[in-house]
Amino acid sequence: MTAVPQTPAATEPSVESAPPQAGPAPGAKRSLALALLAGAAGAALALLASGRTWAEGTAVLAQGELPRSVTGADVTGVPGALAVVGLAALVAVFAVRRAGRVAVAGLLTLSGAGIVAAAVRGNSDTSALREKAATAVGLTGADVHHVTHTGWPWVAAAGGLLLLIAGLLALVHGRHWPAMSGRYERTPGGARGPRRAPPAPDMDRPEEIWKSLDRGEDPTR
C-alpha cells in the first residue's frame, strides 16, 4: 500500500502589530505648557496695563491747577497692539509646522521684546501728559508740574517679558510640539477630503423598512 504524502497544514501568516506611536516627550510637554501659560498671561498683562494710568500731573491755569492723567494707550499704543499680535502668534504656532513654526515663534519673540522696550521708554515719557495739559489750558507748549508715574508701565514690561519667554521656548522646543490634526486641513487642490459613505441600512430593523417604504424603495429587493 502506497503511503499518500501529507501536505503540511497551512499556517496563517503572523500579523505583526504596529509599534505604538510615541507621544511628546515629558520635556516637550513641560515647555509647551509653560509657553502657553507665559504667552497668555503676558498678553493679558500687556493689554490690561495699556488701559491703566501711567502718569499724572498738574496743568497750571490762571484760575489754579488742573490735574491731568494719561493711560498707557495715550502714551504709546505699541504694547496693546503687540499684545494682540503676540497672542495671535501663540495660537498660530500650533497651526503651522517646520519653517512656518520657526517664523511664527520669531514673531512671538519680537512682539514680547517690543512690548518691553515700549513700556520702559513710556515710563519716563511726559509728552502725552503735556499734550493733555496743552489741550486743557488752550496754549501750545503748556507745562505740567508734580509729574508722577505709576507702576503700570512695569506691569506691561513684565507682560512683554512673558511673551518673550514664550517665543524663546517656541524657538527652542517648538519642533517637538504637536500640531493641529490633519483632519482640519484641506487637500492640496483646496477641496475638502472625501466624505465617508453612510452605512447601509439594516433591513432587519422595522424602522429601516418603514424608512425605505417612505422613500419609495422596495425593501424586499
Side-chain angles (χ1 to χ4, degrees):
M1 183 177 182
T2 306
V4 179
Q6 298 180 355
T7 58
T11 59
E12 296 182 356
S14 59
V15 180
E16 296 182 358
S17 58
Q21 295 182 354
K29 290 182 179 180
R30 285 193 296 268
S31 63
L32 172 59
L34 182 58
L36 287 174
L37 182 62
L45 285 177
L47 287 173
L48 176 65
S50 295
R52 303 299 179 178
T53 300
W54 281 26
E56 297 175 338
T58 304
V60 179
L61 300 174
Q63 297 83 3
E65 296 181 343
L66 181 65
R68 297 279 86 183
S69 64
V70 290
T71 64
D74 296 329
V75 176
T76 173
V78 172
L82 289 183
V84 176
V85 173
L87 191 59
L90 181 65
V91 176
V93 164
F94 304 98
V96 293
R97 297 182 177 91
R98 300 183 181 89
R101 178 166 290 184
V102 174
V104 174
L107 178 61
L108 178 59
T109 305
L110 292 176
S111 298
I115 292 174
V116 172
V120 171
R121 182 178 179 181
N123 181 60
S124 58
D125 189 1
T126 59
S127 59
L129 194 59
R130 287 196 175 103
E131 184 178 349
K132 274 203 169 185
T135 303
V137 176
L139 297 174
T140 305
D143 200 3
V144 288
H145 304 277
H146 312 296
V147 177
T148 58
H149 297 275
T150 66
W152 285 108
W154 300 111
V155 175
L161 182 61
L162 289 175
L163 278 172
L164 176 62
I165 292 174
L168 291 176
L169 287 172
L171 284 173
V172 176
H173 303 285
R175 64 182 182 276
H176 303 299
W177 293 351
M180 285 185 179
S181 175
R183 61 183 176 180
Y184 298 107
E185 298 178 355
R186 291 178 177 266
T187 57
R192 295 183 181 274
R195 296 183 178 179
R196 294 183 178 180
D202 185 6
M203 288 307 172
D204 292 334
R205 302 176 60 183
E207 59 270 22
E208 295 295 340
I209 297 177
W210 283 111
K211 291 179 181 179
S212 179
L213 290 173
D214 291 338
R215 293 192 299 267
E217 300 174 358
D218 185 2
T220 61
R221 295 180 60 182

